[in-house]
Amino acid sequence: MKSIEATRIRNLPGYLFQTINEKRFNARQAGRDVIDLGMGNPDLPPPEPVIEKMCEVVRNPRVHRYSASKGIPHLRKEICLWYKKRFGVNLDPEEEAIATIGSKEGISHLALAIFDRGDVVLTPNPTYPSHFYSVIISGASVYDVPLLPENNFIPDLNQPIYDRYPGPKAMIVSYPNNPTTQVVEIEFFRDLVRFAKKNDIIIIHDIAYSEICFDGYKAPSFLQVDGAKDVGVEFYSLSKTYNMAGWRVGFMVGNKYIIRALTKLKSYYDYGIFTPIQVAAICALRLEQKYIDSTVEQYRRRRDTLVNGLNRIGWKVEKPRATMYVWAKIPGQFKHMGSLDFALYLLDECDIVVSPGLGFGKYGEGFVRIALVENEHRIRQAIRSLRKIFKKTNIS
């Protein structure tokens, strides 16, 4: 039989996290009490008003027909109102906003809409896997932008690595950053807009964690910079802020020509998000700040419990100022294992799942990402399990 898979699929590397997922499944099947701190899958429920709105609308017999791939007009209007209230950015709901089936779908389809074979895309490394897989699937070439500890996990826009032919068509960035948890101030985005205009490239900014911030930090939007809409777009997701990960709803805003390209492609691929979900998303965007503050406070308590516990047993990590993760350097005693084997070791010895840094790109090696998706009691349980292997290996 001829090869079933298309070349674009056949050439994809194996999904590194699958090894962890299979071992986690087998451990749970064997009755082991596995504490899963791997995937960034929120365990908290959406705010009650959002659930109530969903239940109310879904009973309306008129909402079960095809929706609009671009998003219903009221949702796009609410997206723009939210941006105005949160960032002071003015957007046109007709030309500068589009709803997406989560930011992952939006980013992946945007790559198909604007990249051709032979295009070069500057992609952070380490990063959220869809950032580079979407580029690879589109047929374009990924050019790594290393996010290194010595540069505080922020790209150096003055490096000569960008001097190549053909010149890059686009650059993907994401702050607050997954997986490194790094944050930036508005000045970075000013530099980024200047960089984009100088080099004639598109900026694609993923701001999924803009509302999950701690200790007084408030994440800026790339679009707050004058001229940003001339060069790029920004993706946002309701998955983390409103605990709506399974609802699959997000949006892209910014440059109208990039919006137009994604709109055209999506008109061939989908009929949009289920209308009751879009109406519930409007409800979410209108919620009082107290609902977001409650979620952030729970993540803050979990962050403090985890980071304080790890430092107490001898695993030195810093408190992140944003996101729902801790980006932890592998302790010296285990460094020789590499991130995948270390993650497997923690699962085997401690019944704890973490994500190996290598899964986010080669420059993620030497780290693991720990997600704050278990309650404080379970996090303390994980610390107790870790303490045993640290004592056994003379780390603490």
Side-chain angles (χ1 to χ4, degrees):
M1 180 183 291
K2 293 181 179 179
S3 176
I4 299 296
E5 293 181 339
T7 302
R8 69 177 65 87
I9 298 299
R10 194 163 58 246
N11 289 343
L12 286 175
Y15 195 55
L16 186 66
F17 297 116
Q18 188 59 34
T19 304
I20 301 286
N21 293 338
E22 289 175 358
K23 293 204 69 170
R24 176 193 60 196
F25 176 80
N26 292 335
R28 284 182 166 165
Q29 287 294 102
R32 288 160 55 190
D33 182 20
V34 175
I35 301 174
D36 190 352
L37 305 175
M39 185 177 179
N41 193 7
D43 63 314
L44 303 171
E48 190 60 31
V50 177
I51 297 174
E52 291 175 357
K53 178 58 70 174
M54 175 70 168
C55 293
E56 172 195 331
V57 178
V58 81
R59 293 189 180 97
N60 185 336
R62 294 177 298 175
V63 301
H64 297 274
R65 306 177 73 184
Y66 292 131
S67 190
S69 62
K70 188 178 180 179
I72 59 175
H74 286 302
L75 175 56
R76 286 184 279 113
K77 180 179 178 181
E78 199 62 40
I79 287 166
C80 296
L81 290 173
W82 186 84
Y83 250 77
K84 177 64 176 178
K85 179 177 68 174
R86 171 65 174 87
F87 298 114
V89 173
N90 292 309
L91 294 164
D92 179 352
E94 288 302 315
E95 293 198 302
E96 297 178 333
I98 181 172
T100 60
I101 308 172
S103 57
K104 184 175 183 179
E105 176 271 327
I107 291 168
S108 299
H109 279 158
L110 178 64
L112 291 176
I114 66 174
F115 298 145
D116 288 313
R117 187 169 301 280
D119 285 341
V120 173
V121 181
L122 303 175
T123 308
N125 190 328
T127 194
Y128 178 53
S130 286
H131 290 161
F132 51 81
Y133 286 135
S134 62
V135 175
I136 294 169
I137 292 171
S138 76
S141 298
V142 168
Y143 193 61
D144 287 333
V145 178
L147 303 185
L148 305 173
E150 51 265 37
N151 290 327
N152 294 317
F153 303 108
I154 297 173
D156 182 353
L157 300 177
N158 296 313
Q159 286 296 312
I161 61 170
Y162 309 116
D163 297 333
R164 56 182 287 130
Y165 183 83
K169 182 171 185 176
M171 182 176 188
I172 300 172
V173 289
S174 179
Y175 291 99
N177 186 261
N178 173 22
T180 71
T181 77
Q182 182 61 50
V183 299
V184 296
E185 302 296 341
I186 192 68
E187 187 55 44
F188 170 75
F189 291 136
R190 293 193 182 101
D191 292 341
L192 189 63
V193 169
R194 286 192 288 267
F195 171 79
K197 290 187 173 185
K198 176 183 176 182
N199 294 279
D200 190 25
I201 65 172
I202 295 166
I203 299 297
I204 301 168
H205 183 231
D206 184 350
I207 195 172
Y209 297 92
S210 66
E211 308 311 293
I212 311 297
C213 300
F214 315 112
D215 306 331
Y217 175 74
K218 200 170 182 67
S221 163
F222 160 73
L223 295 178
Q224 287 177 277
V225 177
D226 289 342
K229 281 197 290 186
D230 296 335
V231 297
V233 290
E234 195 158 69
F235 278 96
Y236 180 73
S237 167
L238 277 68
S239 295
K240 316 302 187 195
T241 305
Y242 303 101
N243 301 310
M244 295 168 66
W247 298 48
R248 307 315 303 133
V249 56
F251 54 81
M252 182 180 84
V253 293
N255 183 277
K256 66 180 181 180
Y257 299 107
I258 301 174
I259 299 284
R260 196 174 297 168
L262 181 56
T263 301
K264 184 176 181 179
L265 184 80
K266 280 175 64 64
S267 71
Y268 287 93
Y269 275 171
D270 68 73
Y271 285 110
I273 307 161
F274 185 38
T275 297
I277 293 178
Q278 295 194 56
V279 177
I282 293 171
C283 175
L285 293 170
R286 290 176 177 174
L287 286 174
E288 297 175 71
Q289 183 64 31
K290 67 179 182 180
Y291 290 98
I292 298 174
D293 291 344
S294 175
T295 296
V296 171
E297 176 59 17
Q298 292 192 65
Y299 282 131
R300 185 200 63 77
R301 290 199 300 265
R302 293 178 182 188
R303 177 202 67 168
D304 291 351
T305 299
L306 177 64
V307 171
N308 293 341
L310 291 177
N311 281 300
R312 193 164 55 247
I313 66 173
W315 189 348
K316 301 304 179 184
V317 297
E318 295 182 4
K319 287 183 179 178
R321 296 174 65 194
T323 78
M324 53 189 289
Y325 309 108
V326 170
W327 185 238
K329 191 173 184 178
I330 299 174
Q333 187 92 351
F334 301 104
K335 188 176 181 181
H336 67 281
M337 290 184 176
S339 60
L340 178 57
D341 285 346
F342 180 60
L344 293 172
Y345 175 75
L346 293 185
L347 178 53
D348 289 338
E349 296 293 322
C350 304
D351 289 331
I352 297 170
V353 177
V354 299
S355 293
L358 186 60
F360 303 96
K362 65 182 181 181
Y363 292 105
E365 184 56 275
F367 291 82
V368 293
R369 193 195 69 179
I370 309 173
L372 304 172
V373 292
E374 292 271 13
N375 62 40
E376 292 163 73
H377 169 74
R378 296 282 280 170
I379 290 173
R380 292 189 188 98
Q381 182 182 338
I383 297 296
R384 289 194 293 271
S385 296
L386 288 166
R387 180 186 288 117
K388 293 176 184 177
I389 66 164
F390 274 40
K391 285 184 177 180
K392 185 169 66 176
T393 52
N394 298 315
I395 284 188
S396 61

